[in-house]
Every structure is written in C-alpha cells, then in structure tokens.
Amino acid sequence: MGAGKSTGARSLAAELGAEPLDSDRELEQRLGEPVESFFDREGEHSFRAREEELVVELLAREDAPVVALGGGALGSERVRDALSAHTVVHLEVDPREAWRRASGKGRPLARDPGRFEQLHGDRVALYESVADAVLPPGDRDTLRRALPALRALESAPPGVRLVWASAASGEYPVFLGRGLIESGFFPPLGGRRFVVTDENVARVQRVEGDERIVVMAGEDHKTIHGAEHVLRALAQGGAERGDLVVAVGGGVVGDMAGFCAAVYQRGMRHAQVPTTLVAQVDSAYGGKTGVDLPEGKNYVGAYHQPSAVLCDPAALDTLPPEEAAAGYAEVVKTALIAGGGLWARVRQGGEIGGPEIMGCLRTKLAVVAEDERDGGRRQVLNLGHTVGHAIEAATAYQRYRHGEAVGIGLLAALRLSGRDPLRAEVAELLGARGLPLVFSGASVEDVLAMVERDKKREGGRVPFVLVEAPGDVTPGHEVDPAALRAAVEEVHEG
Ligand SMILES: NC(=O)c1ccc[n+]([C@@H]2O[C@H](COP(=O)([O-])OP(=O)(O)OC[C@H]3O[C@@H](n4cnc5c(N)ncnc54)[C@H](O)[C@@H]3O)[C@@H](O)[C@H]2O)c1
C-alpha cells in the first residue's frame, strides 16, 4: 500500500504500449462496489478469496504485460505460484511514507497507524521472498527506466535477482545470483567491452569481452602506474567514450578500473563484476574509484557510478580462505550498520551466501542513495576504518589485508562506542574465521600518528563512526585522545 504501484505500472505499461491492469480496480469492477464496503461487510476472508480468483485470472492473461497487485494478494499461495511464471517487482517504500499516502482514504487496512506499520513489516518479508527485482523508493518513472534491466533479467539464469541502485549521479542495475558469470549473461549496455582483470582472477574466471587487459594482482599495484597501464591499454585498443570497461576482480581491480573509466577521455562507462567477498558486499557499489599514493591509500580518485554490477556468489568458490575471511570483516561491519534481519543472520556465525550478500549490498546502496559524496550519512560505511586504515598504513600495507585491518578497527570502534558486550560478540565472530583480533608489526604510536593523518580529517580533528546498537550507527564523533589510545593499545599485540 502506498508504494506507487499503480503509478509505476501506468508508466511501465505506457513504455510497452500496453494498458496496465490494476488488481484493486479490476476487483472493484467485478464486485460492483468499492473494496472498502465489500471488505467491511463480507470480511477479509471472503475478500481475499475473490481477490485470489481474480488475480490468478489476470496473471494468466496474455494481453496484460504489467499488473499492479493489491498489497495483500501475495498472501495467497495460489497467487504466489502463478507469479513464478512472471517477473515480480517489489517497489520499496518507507512505512511512514506509505502511511502518509495510504491513510485517510477509507482503506480497510490503512485506518490505524500501528496496525498499518505492523502489516507493512509482516508483508515485506513475503514480498522479498517472491520478488525477482527490488526497486528502492524513487520517482514515478523509476520503473520505466529500469525496464531494460528487468527485460534482461528474463535471460539470466534462474534465481538471479535484480536490485535497482540509485545515487545522485546515476542509477544502475545490480544482478545477483549464482551462475551469472558462467552463463555469459550481460545486460544490454552497448559499446565494446574492455575486460580489466588481474592475473589471479584471469586464471579462474572467464568474462567474455572484446579486449582483455590483465593487471598485476594486489594492493601494491593499485597505483597511478597501474592505472597508466590500463589507460594506455584502453587507448591502444582503440577504446571510445561509448565503450565499456568491465572490471572483473576484487576491490583492487574494481577501484582501479573504475578510476580509469572515470578519467579515460574524461569518462567512459564501466561495469563491475566483483569476485571477492569484499567486492561483492562493498567495493563494487557506490561509485568510489581510485588508486593509492605512497603517501596514502585511495588518495587519488573520482566518484563514478558503474552502469551495472554483476554479482555471482559462485565466483567466491575459488577465493583463498584468507581473502574470504577478510571479506567477512566487511560483512560484520555492514551488518552492524544495517541491524535488523541482516545482523540477526550474521550474528548466527553461519556461512555467507546469496542472502547475506544481498543484505549487505542493499545496506550499502541505501546509504549511498542518501549521501553519495560522503557529506554525512555515507561516513557510517567507514565504521572500523579509521583505526583499520591506520593499521594498514603503519604496517606499510604489507602485513594485513584491508578486511583484516578493518576487523581490528571494528573492535577499537566498539570499545570507543562503550559497547563492550557487542565488542565481545564481534570479536568472537571474527576470531571464529581466523581473523586477527590484535595487530603487530607497528607500535601504538605509529598507528595513532596514522589516525592523525586520516583522509577524513576535518579542521584538525578526525571524526569517528560509533555504534549505539546494531542498526544505530552514526558518524562524526569526536573521541577523547586517551580513550583512543586505550582502544588502540587494547588491539596491539604485546
Ligand atoms: N570503492 C570502495 O567503495 C571500496 C570499499 C572497500 C574496499 N575497497 C578497496 O578494495 C580493495 C580490497 O579489495 P579485495 O579485498 O577484493 O582485494 P583484491 O582485489 O586485492 O583481491 C584479493 C586477492 O584475491 C584474488 N582474487 C580475486 N578474486 C578471486 C577469485 N574469485 N578467486 C581467486 N582469487 C581471487 C586477487 O587476485 C587478489 O590476490 C582495497 O584496495 C580497498 O581500498 C574499495
């Protein structure tokens, strides 16, 4: 209710040159009276039976490519079965916004705000379970703009889902599902494809392209020099602005290839095919691209949103266990930011698969949708990163993987947040994956000095991201230097 289904369906149907069907409206016609009066007189059970009968009929009609379904129709198993032959799009809506739109119109289930919110929460789980595509709250034309991606989904392997990502500077489809890479699926973006990958990934993953540019693996090569190699290969391959860079690899390849796309001939498009857990849950989305300088990590870069992301959890099958563990720290970070269902799943300590990756990427996308350029909210994604980055820098990027350092940084952030039981729980989760809980190879002083040099420093102070509780994470906190020292000492081996 109130998600904009009818408006969205109209815009989508217009694009397809068809008439949209609205199950509520069709039902009223068949009942010969408004839904409200039938519902109030005959009761919900009887209403749902009539709705089910009608919706199953509508879904069988060949002349109706777009059907807006009443919010309660999915409660029926017959309806859910009938939907399996179709592409189901879930239009997300904030419950308060939905209430604002749906209330005061006499709708039977939108008369009491408490009940409405409860119903919204209960139904979301059901929608999620059947949706092939999820669109975040957008404007009335979002659905229409997503049409090519929705169509592409029809040729993707079964089970692949689409999430529509939007940020101030652009929007793009994220396809998530096992077998995407092997199937050769690629959305219709046009242009020649310049696949950029690293030497390790090139051995195990095959994404077809018109040209292939292989870079050396590892953070050491995420440099201006590495970028120059890619840029020159693009130029030598005759890449044009309308072509596409396809980054196939972890965060290193993704950041560097995305950066090259951002600056090559002042900007060409890129797609991300993340093959590490770090990249699948975090770095492939949000448009931060860049390379390192000897003076600092990610010191040179650009915001450049991808044109598509193809996330295939099967790619992780070949990932070395230490890399998977490093990615796990980012999963824990993201679950702390998200709270709710994602944190509930992650705190169980089980395997990370499609549902958890989906939860993480949607959390990241939601944050970026609010604040693409790190002006405020996006800084929550740096939870654990202030101390984490400092540890990486103080150990010259040689000793710890990014995720490993972030894991230790998370523990420091939770101590600074005064959340001791949560810190203990997180330490247990990280420890169970073999992640380090303390650092060595640099002194506490070195790490504190690196914190001082943090890129996020503003007006001489370094703001910290702190955790009140899972789901309640806020940026911009000033911390007491003595507390910071104690938190770093605690994660220092010695
Ligand atoms: N842009 C962002 O928003 C963002 C966010 C988080 C991290 N990052 C960046 O990401 C980088 C870290 O990314 P990462 O952890 O993916 O590192 P990475 O790209 O170096 O990959 C780790 C290792 O795994 C190998 N590898 C990748 N996929 C493989 C696969 N499927 N099978 C076997 N081996 C595989 C790589 O060759 C590499 O040796 C850092 O540079 C960090 O700054 C960026």
Side-chain angles (χ1 to χ4, degrees):
M1 269 183 282
K5 296 186 295 290
S6 305
T7 322
R10 266 199 303 280
S11 145
L12 189 56
E15 183 76 8
L16 292 166
E19 283 298 314
L21 283 182
D22 186 303
S23 71
D24 283 347
R25 185 139 6 96
E26 297 293 318
L27 193 56
E28 288 194 335
Q29 274 182 7
R30 184 164 295 186
L31 297 174
E33 63 178 311
V35 162
E36 296 81 47
S37 55
F38 183 91
F39 194 101
D40 288 342
R41 194 183 61 249
E42 306 283 333
E44 180 161 4
H45 186 73
S46 167
F47 172 78
R48 294 292 172 213
R50 299 291 295 271
E51 183 184 46
E52 176 185 272
E53 185 191 342
L54 174 101
V55 168
V56 170
E57 269 176 45
L58 294 183
L59 292 176
R61 268 173 63 171
E62 306 231 322
D63 61 337
V66 186
V67 181
L69 283 189
L74 266 69
S76 148
E77 202 176 323
R78 259 184 82 202
V79 168
R80 294 199 298 274
D81 283 349
L83 282 172
S84 60
H86 299 279
T87 300
V88 182
V89 183
H90 173 203
L91 299 184
E92 281 188 309
V93 62
D94 176 73
R96 280 162 307 215
E97 178 62 16
W99 169 254
R100 200 184 60 71
R101 293 183 191 160
S103 59
K105 297 186 180 151
R107 292 195 188 181
L109 298 173
R111 291 174 185 160
D112 169 67
R115 174 141 189 251
F116 183 84
E117 192 161 335
Q118 171 79 40
L119 188 66
H120 182 93
D122 294 347
R123 284 179 173 179
V124 161
L126 193 59
Y127 299 162
E128 297 276 304
S129 68
V130 290
D132 299 296
V134 184
L135 268 62
D139 57 56
R140 56 179 58 224
D141 280 332
T142 310
L143 197 46
R144 186 181 56 74
R145 292 193 303 276
L147 180 60
L150 289 167
R151 283 240 148 123
L153 198 55
E154 289 169 10
S155 63
V160 169
R161 296 176 72 195
L162 166 71
V163 180
W164 191 249
S166 71
S169 71
E171 45 186 9
Y172 53 94
V174 175
F175 297 91
L176 168 72
R178 270 191 92 84
L180 261 181
I181 294 180
E182 203 185 359
S183 74
F185 170 82
F186 207 83
L189 293 170
R192 290 169 74 210
R193 285 187 227 155
F194 288 77
V195 171
V196 180
T197 190
D198 75 25
E199 53 197 348
N200 295 336
V201 178
R203 276 196 286 274
V204 289
Q205 300 295 336
R206 192 91 207 155
V207 172
E208 292 306 324
D210 298 290
E211 299 277 342
R212 196 172 170 81
I213 302 168
V214 181
V215 299
M216 287 199 276
E219 188 75 34
D220 283 356
H221 301 285
K222 191 179 125 179
T223 58
I224 296 270
H225 185 68
E228 184 186 0
H229 168 75
V230 174
L231 290 166
R232 292 191 61 191
L234 286 171
Q236 284 156 14
E240 295 177 2
R241 292 198 58 190
D243 293 335
L244 191 73
V245 165
V246 182
V248 183
V252 164
V253 166
D255 280 11
M256 186 159 77
F259 174 65
C260 292
V263 298
Y264 181 80
Q265 294 188 355
R266 299 199 185 81
M268 65 188 287
R269 299 167 306 151
H270 68 118
Q272 294 275 341
V273 184
T275 64
T276 63
L277 188 54
V278 168
Q280 295 198 349
V281 300
D282 189 349
S283 65
Y285 324 93
K288 276 192 184 180
T289 71
V291 295
D292 304 332
L293 290 183
E295 286 73 16
K297 216 171 121 67
N298 298 324
Y299 257 43
V300 177
Y303 286 95
H304 189 47
Q305 298 295 340
S307 296
V309 181
L310 273 65
C311 181
D312 181 352
L316 305 179
D317 294 350
T318 55
L319 195 65
E322 321 79 74
E323 297 297 346
Y328 183 73
E330 298 280 6
V331 171
V332 173
K333 175 203 83 172
T334 311
L336 284 170
I337 293 167
L342 182 59
W343 171 245
R345 283 185 100 104
V346 168
R347 75 188 300 193
Q348 305 289 324
E351 282 307 305
I352 301 303
E356 292 76 24
I357 293 170
M358 176 64 110
C360 289
L361 75 87
R362 285 176 67 183
T363 302
K364 171 138 189 196
L365 292 176
V367 172
V368 174
E370 249 183 82
D371 169 28
E372 179 178 350
R373 298 209 164 208
D374 250 348
R377 177 73 187 151
R378 186 165 181 168
Q379 289 166 17
V380 296
L381 297 172
N382 284 319
L383 175 62
H385 280 58
T386 311
V387 170
H389 274 158
I391 293 171
E392 280 186 279
T395 51
Y397 300 99
Q398 298 299 321
R399 199 173 177 96
Y400 297 105
R401 289 178 179 79
H402 176 69
E404 291 170 341
V406 166
I408 303 173
L410 272 181
L411 298 178
L414 287 165
R415 177 65 78 223
L416 287 168
S417 305
R419 294 290 164 266
D420 299 355
L422 188 57
R423 184 190 186 281
E425 187 173 359
V426 167
E428 197 164 317
L429 288 172
L430 300 175
R433 303 279 158 149
L435 283 162
L437 305 179
V438 290
F439 71 92
S440 57
S443 68
V444 170
E445 294 308 324
D446 294 341
V447 170
L448 290 172
M450 285 300 172
V451 169
E452 279 301 301
R453 284 183 48 186
D454 193 280
K455 192 160 47 96
K456 302 288 179 316
R457 188 181 54 208
E458 279 169 8
R461 70 187 247 293
V462 180
F464 273 79
V465 183
L466 298 182
V467 182
E468 183 67 27
D472 186 357
V473 176
T474 48
H477 296 273
E478 200 159 347
V479 304
D480 170 38
L484 175 60
R485 174 177 290 274
V488 173
E489 274 169 358
E490 190 182 18
V491 289
H492 183 234
E493 186 173 348

